[in-house]
Amino acid sequence: MDHTNGSFTIGALDKISSHHEHFVVEIESSEDALESIGPLFRAIYDGDDHKQFMERLDERIKNHDREIERMCNFHYQGFIDSIHELLQVRTEAERVKAEVQGVNEELQASGLAVLKKGEELMQCQQVQLNISATIERLSTCLPVLQTYGKLKDQMKCKRYYPALKTLEQLEHTYLPRVSEYRFTKIMYDQIPRLREAIKEASMSDLKDFLESIRKHSSKIGEVAMQHSAEQHSIDPALVRMPRRKRKAPPPPNPFTGEVPAPQPEAETDIYKDADEELSAQDLVDFSPVYRCWHIYTVLGAGDVFESYYRKQRKKQAKLCLQPATNMHETLDGYKRYFHELIGFFVVEDNILHTTSGLISKSYLDDLWDMALSKIVAVLRTHSAYCTDPDLMLSIKNLIILFCHTLEGYGFFVARLYGLLVEIRDQYNEILMKQWKSVFMEIFEEDNYTPITVQYQAEYVDIVSVFPFHDSFVEKSPLPKRFPFSRFVPNVYKQVKEYIFACLKFSEDLNLSQTEIDDMVRKSTNFLLTRTLSGCLSSLIRKPGLGLAQLIQITINTEYLETACIHLEDFISNVTGTSYSREVSHVAKLQGKSMFKDARSHTEQQIYQALNNKIDEFLELAIYDWTLSESRGHASGYLMDLIAFLQSTFMSFTNLPDKVAQTACMCACKHIAECLSSILLDPNAKSLSTGALQQFNLDVIQCEQFASSNPVPGFDMGALLMAFMELRQLLDLGMTDDWSAYLRDFGQDRNKYLLVSPQSAILLAEKYVIFI
């Protein structure tokens, strides 16, 4: 057992010794002590044999010391030699060190400048790098700044639409590239304000445009009407406004003698030079409207701009439609009114065709319909004040040119032609008032005696004016004598002049020849039946008009009545229509009936004037009712009356037989009635036989006059019937045959059948009282 234990102990010790030897070798061969031997030390100390390891390690150290010592002994002499060499090298080394230090000092001294330059070079390189970086960043920012500057310049030059485009480019293209810089935020904040500023500036330009176009619409309309007049072969002077007179140059300074320079007249921006070759649209610069419209459209506010523009233009339309209160006084007032209206609608028409959606065709049509109603009302009202036919004719021509001009721009103007028909009636009324003065002047200047011409040229002049054809007058030698007075050809000529005046107004009214013919005939009828008829009535009723004058008027009206046929032919010729007298015409001339009525009235006046003249003679009758016997001859007043009647009826030769016969019969009846009144006058209380005989002589003279047929055409004894009642009354008184009167009263065989009981009683009372 002991041996075994001893063997086991020796074997274990050998194993431990070899193990420690391995650790030592590991430690010696390890280059990194901490990393390599750390695990070895942990393995050694983890076991119980670290003391043995220490002993083993000490033994190994001693072995190495012995080897070192042995090697040192072997190399000692070489070591001494080496020491001696090192000492020598030391001296050289010190010398070299001193030299090196000197060189180093020199090098350090010279290197300071190089170092300084190097530092400066580094700084310059840094600056250069900074500059390059700055240039690079400025190159990135420069388009932004240039675009912003361009934007400012465009706004300053009022180029707002390009400015808006530039602003869009700045916002969406350039600013995103430099968004890291602080100034971009400032610019981004400025963009809404810039947009609003562009809107406000463009709107300001639009307001200036609207104000200026309102002032110059008149000139635009004038140019448009002039061009339309040239296209329709109308004198452009009709629409031209009178130009302002050139101002006189200012007087020189009394102290210095200098003449101040004349101040040029300011012109608006939108109004270009009014060259006659330019169209009405070319006179206006519409760019403010286009700019503002595009700007608002781009900014999404097109509806706002459209509403504002239409509202403002409607207000201006209402202003244009308000005429001056004195527009009716002169043609210039109408010109100015039409110029402004045409100028307004020319501008709107141009806006319609040069913009997309700002105004529509339906909007413009509605605006025109509203304006047209107002225009018709204004023209109807103001034309009613006009009393000058020439001015009315000029107004009509102006309205027609107004229609032509607007028709050229596509506006519907049929209502204005309808208005012209109304104005035509008023024009005819004015003409009739004027012709009334003309007729009255003709009647005043006429001498109411037949025309006598001394020369053939005078005869030709009259028959060229008035359609008179009489072979007897034509063949008679000079001097020739017409049956009518001067007022017949003068009236006929003026009626034709009236027809020409009516035709002037009917020109260019888009009427057919038949419509013009009807209009002229109706107007002529009004002239004849109202104006001329009224003038003739006034003439016939004129106080102091003599019997000879009335007779001449009757003759004149007869020839004017005959000439109505020629007037109808004349109207057909001037209107270019065919007219047949056999066909009933809706506007057939009524001159014949008018002249017949006038002649009938004149005839009544003749009868009345003849009776008045008879009354003047009978007023001279003075009877002595107590006369014992007659004077044996008729009274002087009665003889004068008979002589007057004879001469008067001789002048009736040119009158129609019926008129002369009627006048003669009326005169005889009136004489008989007046003589009966004288005989039965209640103021004469008595009646002698001599007075009755004298009265009988006067009646016999009247009966002789009636029997002489002073006017041809009466049946035998027809005029005597006018004195039959007076004759029976005188015979009753002179024969004193009262018993026969009373016996046969009421019977057809009574020879005093025409004597009324009242007349018989009065005569009997006068006779009885005298007895």
Side-chain angles (χ1 to χ4, degrees):
M1 280 295 294
D2 293 335
H3 178 74
T4 306
N5 291 336
S7 300
F8 177 76
T9 303
I10 295 172
L13 289 174
D14 292 336
K15 185 178 181 178
I16 292 171
S17 175
S18 62
H19 189 63
H20 287 168
E21 183 68 19
H22 175 71
F23 282 161
V24 170
V25 172
E26 287 291 334
I27 291 171
E28 288 178 350
S29 61
S30 176
E31 294 180 359
D32 189 352
L34 292 177
E35 294 180 358
S36 300
I37 68 177
L40 297 176
F41 289 158
R42 180 178 294 280
I44 294 172
Y45 281 98
D46 288 341
D48 294 332
D49 52 355
H50 59 277
K51 290 183 179 180
Q52 290 84 352
F53 178 74
M54 290 300 296
E55 290 176 356
R56 183 72 178 171
L57 185 62
D58 289 337
E59 182 179 354
R60 189 65 175 259
I61 292 170
K62 289 179 180 179
N63 289 331
H64 281 297
D65 288 339
R66 282 193 295 274
E67 288 178 2
I68 291 170
E69 183 178 357
R70 187 173 54 252
M71 288 178 70
C72 290
N73 290 328
F74 179 75
H75 295 288
Y76 181 76
Q77 185 61 42
F79 176 73
I80 294 300
D81 293 336
S82 299
I83 292 300
H84 289 159
E85 288 177 0
L86 287 175
L87 290 175
Q88 293 176 357
V89 170
R90 178 180 180 181
T91 303
E92 290 296 327
E94 289 178 353
R95 184 180 61 79
V96 170
K97 180 181 180 180
E99 290 179 357
V100 169
Q101 287 179 347
V103 171
N104 181 52
E105 290 177 356
E106 292 178 359
L107 182 62
Q108 291 295 328
S110 61
L112 287 176
V114 175
L115 184 62
K116 185 177 179 181
K117 294 295 183 181
E119 291 177 353
E120 292 179 356
L121 179 61
M122 290 178 63
Q123 290 179 356
C124 289
Q125 290 178 346
Q126 187 64 40
V127 170
Q128 186 177 8
L129 291 175
N130 292 340
I131 291 174
S132 299
T134 301
I135 291 174
E136 181 180 359
R137 283 163 177 75
L138 283 178
S139 299
T140 306
C141 297
L142 188 60
V144 177
L145 300 177
Q146 288 176 340
T147 305
Y148 188 78
K150 178 182 178 182
L151 172 65
K152 289 295 185 179
D153 292 339
Q154 288 172 339
M155 294 186 64
K156 184 178 180 181
C157 297
K158 298 184 177 182
R159 299 176 61 228
Y160 300 117
Y161 184 67
L164 189 62
K165 292 295 185 182
T166 303
L167 185 62
E168 294 292 329
Q169 187 180 21
L170 178 66
E171 180 182 12
H172 296 99
T173 303
Y174 294 109
L175 285 180
R177 299 176 184 175
V178 292
S179 58
E180 68 272 15
Y181 300 111
R182 287 180 297 176
F183 74 88
T184 59
K185 184 178 183 304
I186 298 175
M187 286 188 176
Y188 273 122
D189 295 338
Q190 287 290 332
I191 286 175
R193 288 191 286 270
L194 288 172
R195 283 199 179 97
E196 193 63 30
I198 291 173
K199 286 177 63 177
E200 292 176 357
S202 62
M203 181 58 70
S204 176
D205 282 354
L206 176 67
K207 291 177 179 179
D208 294 340
F209 171 84
L210 292 175
E211 181 180 357
S212 185
I213 203 66
R214 171 72 181 92
K215 295 178 181 177
H216 295 93
S217 291
S218 179
K219 181 60 181 177
I220 298 171
E222 182 179 356
V223 173
M225 289 189 76
Q226 286 182 8
H227 292 167
S228 180
E230 293 171 357
Q231 293 173 2
H232 293 84
S233 301
I234 300 175
D235 185 6
L238 175 65
V239 300
R240 289 197 186 104
M241 292 294 293
R243 302 304 180 191
R244 290 181 298 179
K245 295 182 178 179
R246 182 178 298 177
K247 295 182 179 179
N253 189 310
F255 300 101
T256 63
E258 297 179 354
V259 178
Q263 296 294 329
E265 296 183 358
E267 295 185 359
T268 60
D269 293 337
I270 71 158
Y271 187 58
K272 303 176 182 178
D273 294 335
D275 189 349
E276 296 297 333
E277 297 299 326
L278 294 178
S279 66
Q281 298 92 330
D282 294 336
L283 295 176
V284 181
D285 179 14
F286 290 93
S287 58
V289 181
Y290 302 149
R291 285 197 302 267
C292 197
W293 168 242
H294 289 310
I295 288 170
Y296 271 73
T297 302
V298 170
L299 296 178
D303 294 340
V304 176
F305 177 81
E306 176 185 333
S307 175
Y308 176 82
Y309 178 84
R310 293 186 179 186
K311 181 179 179 181
Q312 295 300 317
R313 289 298 281 168
K314 281 184 178 179
K315 290 181 179 179
Q316 291 188 350
K318 292 179 180 178
L319 291 176
C320 291
L321 291 169
Q322 292 295 331
T325 55
N326 61 341
M327 184 182 79
H328 59 275
E329 295 179 358
T330 61
L331 186 62
D332 289 342
Y334 288 92
K335 290 181 183 179
R336 190 175 297 106
Y337 183 66
F338 289 143
H339 291 169
E340 291 183 357
L341 288 173
I342 291 177
F344 177 87
F345 283 101
V346 165
V347 170
E348 290 304 285
D349 181 76
N350 188 73
I351 292 294
L352 173 66
H353 291 90
T354 55
T355 59
S356 176
L358 179 55
I359 63 174
S360 62
K361 179 63 176 176
S362 60
Y363 159 80
L364 189 58
D365 290 341
D366 293 340
L367 185 62
W368 169 243
D369 289 340
M370 179 274 294
L372 185 58
S373 299
K374 182 66 175 176
I375 292 169
V376 170
V378 167
L379 293 178
R380 182 181 290 118
T381 300
H382 282 266
S383 62
Y385 294 108
C386 184
T387 58
D388 183 3
D390 293 333
L391 177 58
M392 185 69 78
L393 192 61
S394 298
I395 293 171
K396 167 254 176 180
N397 293 331
L398 202 59
I399 293 176
I400 289 177
L401 186 54
F402 177 74
C403 293
H404 289 334
T405 304
L406 289 177
E407 279 180 325
Y409 290 94
F411 293 97
F412 186 70
V413 295
R415 289 179 62 187
L416 288 175
Y417 285 107
L419 174 66
L420 285 174
V421 175
E422 298 179 21
I423 296 178
R424 179 195 64 190
D425 297 336
Q426 182 182 348
Y427 171 75
N428 292 338
E429 290 291 335
I430 296 173
L431 287 181
M432 285 192 289
K433 291 180 181 179
Q434 180 179 353
W435 256 254
K436 179 181 179 181
S437 301
V438 172
F439 290 145
M440 293 305 295
E441 184 178 356
I442 291 173
F443 296 157
E444 289 291 334
E445 295 177 353
D446 194 37
N447 57 8
Y448 297 97
T449 58
I451 302 174
T452 302
V453 294
Q454 301 293 332
Y455 303 100
Q456 184 65 24
E458 294 178 349
Y459 175 83
V460 173
D461 289 342
I462 293 175
V463 295
S464 63
V465 172
F466 183 74
F468 175 77
H469 303 286
D470 188 297
S471 59
F472 176 77
V473 176
E474 290 177 0
K475 295 177 181 179
S476 63
L478 293 172
K480 297 178 184 291
R481 181 184 177 90
F482 291 92
F484 45 79
S485 66
R486 287 279 180 187
F487 94 57
V488 170
N490 290 340
V491 167
Y492 186 83
K493 178 181 178 181
Q494 288 303 320
V495 172
K496 292 173 66 175
E497 292 293 334
Y498 176 84
I499 293 172
F500 281 125
C502 291
L503 282 173
K504 285 184 180 179
F505 199 93
S506 300
E507 294 175 355
D508 302 322
L509 289 188
N510 294 336
L511 299 176
S512 64
Q513 290 181 338
T514 303
E515 290 174 326
I516 295 175
D517 185 80
D518 288 340
M519 183 275 296
V520 173
R521 291 179 186 275
K522 289 178 182 179
S523 301
T524 307
N525 275 334
F526 281 129
L527 179 72
L528 296 177
T529 58
R530 288 172 49 187
T531 306
L532 184 54
S533 176
C535 293
L536 284 174
S537 297
S538 300
L539 173 64
I540 294 168
R541 294 192 304 268
K542 184 179 179 181
L545 198 62
L547 185 60
Q549 293 171 314
L550 290 171
I551 294 171
Q552 188 63 56
I553 291 173
T554 303
I555 297 170
N556 290 347
T557 54
E558 181 180 4
Y559 281 95
L560 287 173
E561 177 185 347
T562 305
C564 287
I565 297 175
H566 299 282
L567 279 178
E568 291 179 347
D569 294 337
F570 173 75
I571 292 174
S572 298
N573 291 331
V574 296
T575 57
T577 57
S578 59
Y579 175 72
S580 176
R581 300 187 184 92
E582 288 77 14
V583 179
S584 177
H585 201 286
V586 292
K588 187 176 181 179
L589 290 185
Q590 302 171 5
K592 286 187 176 182
S593 59
M594 185 277 295
F595 286 120
K596 285 181 180 178
D597 294 340
R599 187 165 62 255
S600 176
H601 190 192
T602 307
E603 290 169 0
Q604 294 297 326
Q605 291 296 113
I606 290 175
Y607 307 150
Q608 185 63 42
L610 188 58
N611 291 341
N612 292 337
K613 196 65 176 179
I614 292 172
D615 291 338
E616 292 178 7
F617 283 99
L618 293 177
E619 287 175 1
L620 302 176
I622 300 175
Y623 288 96
D624 183 5
W625 300 113
T626 61
L627 190 66
S628 58
E629 59 181 20
S630 67
R631 291 189 290 270
H633 57 84
S635 302
Y637 82 90
L638 191 62
M639 297 302 294
D640 294 339
L641 174 59
I642 297 299
F644 166 75
L645 291 176
Q646 289 175 342
S647 63
T648 299
F649 291 140
M650 287 179 64
S651 65
F652 281 14
T653 53
N654 290 326
L655 284 176
D657 294 340
K658 185 178 179 180
V659 176
Q661 293 168 6
T662 304
C664 186
M665 178 61 76
C666 289
C668 292
K669 287 182 177 180
H670 186 67
I671 293 172
E673 291 173 359
C674 291
L675 290 177
S676 296
S677 299
I678 294 173
L679 179 62
L680 301 176
D681 186 6
N683 294 324
K685 302 299 182 181
S686 61
L687 179 62
S688 65
T689 303
L692 192 58
Q693 291 174 350
Q694 182 63 43
F695 193 83
N696 183 53
L697 290 174
D698 292 342
V699 174
I700 292 173
Q701 190 67 37
C702 292
E703 291 173 339
Q704 290 177 353
F705 170 75
S707 300
S708 66
N709 287 333
V711 174
F714 281 108
D715 294 334
M716 184 64 66
L719 285 177
L720 286 175
M721 293 300 297
F723 298 95
M724 185 58 68
E725 181 181 354
L726 179 58
R727 170 48 56 196
Q728 291 181 5
L729 181 61
L730 285 174
D731 289 347
L732 178 61
M734 292 175 65
T735 59
D736 198 16
D737 195 7
W738 297 101
S739 58
Y741 174 76
L742 295 174
R743 182 180 65 249
D744 298 333
F745 182 75
Q747 299 181 11
D748 293 338
R749 64 181 183 179
N750 191 354
K751 62 179 181 181
Y752 306 110
L753 183 61
L754 298 178
V755 179
S756 65
Q758 294 81 3
S759 299
I761 292 172
L762 286 175
L763 182 62
E765 287 178 352
K766 291 174 181 289
Y767 195 68
V768 170
I769 292 173
F770 179 78
I771 295 174

